[in-house]
Amino acid sequence: MWYAIEGYDGADVLARRLQVRGAHLARLEALREQGRLLLAGPCPAIDADDPGPAGFSGSIVIAEFESLQAAQAWADADPYMQNGTYERVQVRPFRKVLP
């Protein structure tokens, strides 16, 4: 089943985000290679493609997992969660309708 994983950045964490971005992207790339990634990306903190020093308010990942518990475990192990970039993560089942 698909799961929506929403990570919410804490305050002033852009430097932390950049420190572990490579490790975060590597985990997403592994999901993509397994055919389990629908989409992933950050949410700019301001209305701009490149928010610059304003940074990001969080990220959204929609990926396939065996269960809600597996999706939550994957989210909890994310480098952004581990290093304090995310102050919290919400994982919910997702049903793709379009396209």
Side-chain angles (χ1 to χ4, degrees), residues 8-10 13 16-17 20 79-87:
Y8 297 88
D9 284 19
V13 295
R16 286 185 192 176
R17 179 180 268 272
V20 296
Y80 287 164
M81 192 66 189
Q82 296 293 308
N83 86 336
T85 296
Y86 291 157
E87 63 182 11

Side-chain angles (χ1 to χ4, degrees), residues 27-47:
R27 295 178 83 234
L28 293 170
E29 184 63 30
L31 288 176
R32 188 188 69 78
E33 288 173 0
Q34 296 166 13
R36 296 173 44 207
L37 183 64
L38 185 62
L39 66 86
C43 300
I46 60 173
D47 191 13

Side-chain angles (χ1 to χ4, degrees), residues 48-59:
D49 283 337
D50 181 359
F56 301 89
S57 62
S59 304

